[in-house]
Amino acid sequence: MSQMKLPRAGLLLWMCVMNRVQDTATAAAALSITHCVIRQYVDITCYWETTDQHLNINSYRLQINKSSCESKHSFFQVGFCNTAGSDCSVQPIDSALHCFCADVLASTRTGSIRSPPYFFSGVNAVKLRPPQITNLTPTKTRSGCLQVTWKMVESFLQNEKIYIRLQIEYTTHNQTRSQTTQAFSNETLELCDLHPGSKYTVRLRAQDSRAHAHWSSWTSLDTTTAEKAPSAAPRLWRLIHSVEEAGRRRLILVWKPVSWPEVNGVVLSYSATCRSDLDSSQWTCGTMDASRRSCILNISDDPCHCSLTATNSAGTSPPAHISIPAHTHAELPPPQAISVTRLDDTRLVVEWTAALSQSESGFVVQWASVPYTEPTSLDWEHINETARSFIVSGLLPEVPYNLSVVSLFGPLAGSGMSVIAFTREGAPSVGPNITMLQTSSSGVVLKWDPVPLEKLHGFIQSYTILYSINGKDKSEKVSAHDEQKSLSGLMEGTYNICVMAHTAVGGATGPCQQVVVGLEDVQVIPILLCALLLCFLILIIPVCMRVRIKQCLCPTVPDPSKSSLSVWSNARMCQHKLPSLSAMNSIISMGQTTIFQDYGEKDYVPVQVFTYHTVPQDSNETNISTSAVTHQDSTLPAAQAFPTHLLNHSYTKPGQVTPAGYKEDPQPSSDHLLFESFFTNKRNQADLCDYIHVSQSHEPVITTIDEYRTLDLNECPHFRQVLPEDTST
C-alpha cells in the first residue's frame, strides 16, 4: 500500500513544478521591453509594457549591462534603477559605441517576474539633443527668402559627423514645408520661395542616420519675411441710397481686405475715390485707417466710377473698380426666385434662380441682422456666374437676418431680391402695446402696435386678445395680419384688456389696460375738466392783472398843492428895463401832437407868451402901473440890468383856462434856471443863456408879444418837455 502512495506523491510534485514553471513563463511573456533610447554621454532610457493587468505589480527594477558587439558573451553592469511606472533611466554612460542588454524585474504579491532580455546596439538607439538656432533673418535682397543658421550642442568625432543630418520645417498659415540636409556640411541655409510679408515658424531637429527611428526634439523660432506691395486689389462693393437733395445721393462703399497671401504684408491704409463720367467732379474719402471697412460719399446723380487701393510698407495694391449707374438709369433685373433653408443654429443655405434671357457675370450674396444699423454690420460675398447656392455661416439663433442676392452684369449690378430668415425661432420677448380707439355701452374698439421683428425672435403666427371682468377670463384669436379689433356684446363693468403675440415657439403678453364699458357719459368727464380749467383761467387772470386794470379804470389825479405853481411869489417888484424886443426870441405856442394821451392827433394847445422888463422899485411911489411901460434906470448897476423872460404857464383846452404864474428869484442864480430846454435861438447861440428871473427889487411889466399863435415844430423842438400834464380828468 505504501509502495503505491510513493508514485502518486511524485506525480503530484511533478505536476506542481510544471504548473509553476508554466505560470512563470506566462508571467514573463506578459512583461517585455519595447525599446531603449540612448542620449550620448547622458543616460539610457528603456520602455516596457505589461499585457496582463491582473498581475498586481508593485514595482519594477531595470538592469542594464554592456558588452562588446563582436562577442556578446561577457557583459559588464552599467547600472540599474527602480520605478513604479513603465520607463526608467540609467545614468550616466560613457559612450554609445557598445552593445547592451536590458531586462526588467517586476515584484508582485506572489513573487517576482523577469522580462526576457532585450539586446540592442548603442549606435542604433542614439537620440541626439536638439540643435540650437543661432540666427533667423529675412534675406535683404530677396523678399521671399529667410536665412537660418544653427549649431549642434553635442560634439562628434570627425568620422561620425557624416551620419548626423538635420530636418528643417517652416510653417505659415497652416501650410508646412520641410527639407532635410547634412548638419555639418553647411551650418547656414537659405529658405526661399516663401510668401512675402508672412510670419513663419521655423523648426529644426537632428538625427543620427544609423538610428533612423530616433529624432531629437524640435527647437523653433518665429520670424516674418520682407514685405512686398500687395499683388491683388481689395474686394469692393457698394450700397446706393435714393436721392436726398436735388442732384445728390448717398453712396456707401464697403470692402473686404486683400486676402493672404496676395496681401504680401500688413495693410497700413486704404484710399477711396469716385469720379464722374460726365465732368471733372470727384469725391474722395482720403486716406483711411486699415481698420476701416466702409466709406460714405455724397455724389451727384450722374454716372461715375469708384476705385479703392490698399497700401503697406512696400507699396500700393492695384485699384479695385466699381461702376455706379446714373440715378435715372433703368434697373437691371434681379434673380427670378430666392429661398433660404436652415442647416443648423449657425448656418443657412441661400438658393436662387437666375433671371431669364440674361447673361450674368456673377452674383453678390448680402446678409445683415435686423435692424440694419451701420455699413459695418453688412456682410457680403462675390459668387461666380455658375453658382446657384451659397452657405452663410457664423449666424446666431433667434436673430432675424435679411439675406439678398444681386445679379452682376459686367461692371453693372441689378436690383436685389431679399428674404428674412432665422436659423432657429424663439418666443417673443415683449408683447404688443394697445390703444383704445372707442368705447360704447356694450363694446370697445382697440388697436395695437406690432412688435419689432428683432424682439419677436421669430415670425408672428397670430394674436390673442385677453380680457377679463369679475375674475372671468375670455379670449379671442386674431390673424397675424390684423392690428385692430372690435369687441362687442360686453356687459357693463371694468375690463382688463391686453394682447398676446404668438410665434411658432411661444408667445408674450403686452401691458394691459383697464376699460370701463356701459357708461355713456364717460366722454363728458374730459369736457367738464376743460370747462373747469377755463373758469379757473378766467378767474386767475384778473387777479394777476389787478394793478394794471386799476390804473386803467382809476388813473392817478395830480395834487395841485404839490405843483410848482404853488410856490410862486406875488410880491411887488421893481421894474428893470430889458433889452429890446429884437434881441429876444419870439416865444410862441406850438401844436401838440400825440405827446399827451388826453389829446388827439389834431388837437392844439394854445399858449400865451409874454415878455417883460423890470424897473427899480420906488419906495415913495405907492402905486406902480402894470401897463406896458418899458424903461431902464440909468443909476442901476450894470449887473442888475438883465433881460428877463416869462412864459405864461396857462394853457387852454375847450372850456378850460388855467391862470398863469411866475417864480421869484432874488438873484439870477444858475441853480434856479427855468425853461432851459424851452428857449432856442438858431441865429445866436449865446441867447440860449437868457432865462426867466424875477427879482424881489424889480417889478415886472408884462407885455403880450404874440397872443395865441401856433408854432411850427421846427421853431421850438423842446417845447413838449415843459408842458404840464393835463390833469382835467
Side-chain angles (χ1 to χ4, degrees), residues 474-487:
K474 296 183 179 181
S475 63
E476 287 192 23
K477 198 169 184 179
V478 183
S479 171
H481 305 289
D482 294 333
E483 297 177 4
Q484 183 174 323
K485 177 65 177 178
S486 175
L487 300 177

Side-chain angles (χ1 to χ4, degrees), residues 347-551:
R347 294 186 303 164
L348 294 172
V349 57
V350 184
E351 298 176 299
W352 62 90
T353 303
L356 295 176
S357 303
Q358 297 292 336
S359 56
E360 291 92 346
S361 60
F363 301 92
V364 173
V365 179
Q366 304 176 128
W367 65 95
S369 60
V370 178
Y372 174 76
T373 55
E374 56 185 12
T376 54
S377 63
L378 175 71
D379 208 346
W380 52 276
E381 193 67 44
H382 278 285
I383 310 297
N384 60 48
E385 67 276 8
T386 61
R388 293 296 181 269
S389 65
F390 179 75
I391 296 177
V392 180
S393 59
L395 306 181
L396 298 175
E398 300 185 12
V399 175
Y401 288 92
N402 188 347
L403 302 101
S404 62
V405 178
V406 179
S407 300
L408 300 179
F409 303 93
L412 301 177
S415 56
M417 178 175 287
S418 62
V419 65
I420 293 178
F422 291 84
T423 58
R424 187 185 73 227
E425 293 190 45
S429 56
V430 296
N433 294 319
I434 61 174
T435 303
M436 297 301 164
L437 299 180
Q438 184 180 355
T439 60
S440 63
S441 59
S442 62
V444 296
V445 178
L446 63 149
K447 179 183 178 182
W448 57 89
D449 299 326
V451 179
L453 185 61
E454 65 272 15
K455 295 182 180 180
L456 278 176
H457 307 299
F459 296 109
I460 190 70
Q461 302 294 322
S462 63
Y463 294 101
T464 300
I465 301 175
L466 307 173
Y467 56 99
S468 62
I469 182 173
N470 299 328
K472 297 180 180 179
D473 297 332
K474 296 183 179 181
S475 63
E476 287 192 23
K477 198 169 184 179
V478 183
S479 171
H481 305 289
D482 294 333
E483 297 177 4
Q484 183 174 323
K485 177 65 177 178
S486 175
L487 300 177
S488 59
L490 302 180
M491 58 185 297
E492 292 185 357
T494 302
Y495 286 82
N496 284 328
I497 302 179
C498 50
V499 177
M500 185 176 186
H502 299 273
T503 63
V505 178
T509 304
C512 296
Q513 287 192 13
Q514 286 190 348
V515 181
V516 178
V517 177
L519 300 178
E520 295 290 349
D521 57 345
V522 173
Q523 298 181 356
V524 177
I525 296 177
I527 299 176
L528 293 177
L529 292 177
C530 294
L532 291 175
L533 180 61
L534 181 60
C535 294
F536 176 76
L537 293 177
I538 293 175
L539 293 175
I540 199 64
I541 289 176
V543 175
C544 296
M545 301 182 65
R546 63 183 183 277
V547 176
R548 182 170 296 181
I549 294 174
K550 181 179 179 181
Q551 291 177 352

Side-chain angles (χ1 to χ4, degrees), residues 18 53 108 132 179-180 191 317 342 358 375 384 386 424 446 457 471 498 530 563 590 617 638 647 666 673 703 718 727:
M18 293 301 297
Q53 303 297 330
T108 65
Q132 181 181 355
Q179 64 183 77
T180 303
L191 307 176
S317 71
R342 174 183 178 273
Q358 297 292 336
N384 60 48
T386 61
R424 187 185 73 227
L446 63 149
H457 307 299
C498 50
C530 294
S563 173
M590 64 174 286
Q617 181 178 358
L647 168 66
L673 299 180
T703 304
H718 302 288
T727 61

Side-chain angles (χ1 to χ4, degrees), residues 129-183:
R129 284 187 287 176
Q132 181 181 355
I133 300 176
T134 59
N135 185 42
L136 181 63
T137 56
T139 304
K140 297 181 179 179
T141 57
R142 304 175 65 180
S143 59
C145 293
L146 291 175
Q147 189 176 46
V148 55
T149 305
W150 69 89
K151 71 175 182 178
M152 298 300 297
V153 178
E154 301 163 314
S155 59
F156 297 91
L157 299 176
Q158 188 64 34
N159 60 346
E160 292 183 344
K161 290 183 178 180
I162 59 174
Y163 300 109
I164 308 302
R165 58 182 180 178
L166 199 69
Q167 184 180 22
I168 303 175
E169 188 176 272
Y170 40 100
T171 305
T172 181
H173 292 80
N174 297 325
Q175 295 184 3
T176 301
R177 298 163 62 184
S178 64
Q179 64 183 77
T180 303
T181 182
Q182 291 294 324

Side-chain angles (χ1 to χ4, degrees), residues 238-251 276-278 283 298-305 323-332 412-413 415:
R238 87 291 181 276
L239 298 174
I240 305 175
H241 290 226
S242 58
V243 177
E244 297 179 349
E245 302 175 0
R248 309 294 289 180
R249 53 184 170 162
R250 191 164 178 251
L251 172 67
S276 174
D277 294 341
L278 302 182
W283 308 269
N298 290 319
I299 64 173
S300 66
D301 56 0
D302 297 330
C304 63
H305 62 277
S323 296
I324 309 300
H327 176 62
T328 57
H329 189 275
E331 289 189 355
L332 295 173
L412 301 177
S415 56

Side-chain angles (χ1 to χ4, degrees), residues 30 85 88 216 226 320 380 449 540 622 688 723:
C88 189
S216 70
W380 52 276
D449 299 326
I540 199 64
T622 60
L688 293 176
L723 286 178

Side-chain angles (χ1 to χ4, degrees), residues 576-613:
H576 175 68
K577 185 176 181 180
L578 297 175
S580 63
L581 297 177
S582 61
M584 301 176 59
N585 291 332
S586 296
I587 307 176
I588 52 182
S589 63
M590 64 174 286
Q592 179 73 8
T593 59
T594 67
I595 190 65
F596 300 105
Q597 60 183 3
D598 294 335
Y599 299 148
E601 185 178 357
K602 297 299 183 178
D603 293 338
Y604 293 93
V605 181
V607 179
Q608 289 184 349
V609 182
F610 304 91
T611 185
Y612 72 95
H613 36 262

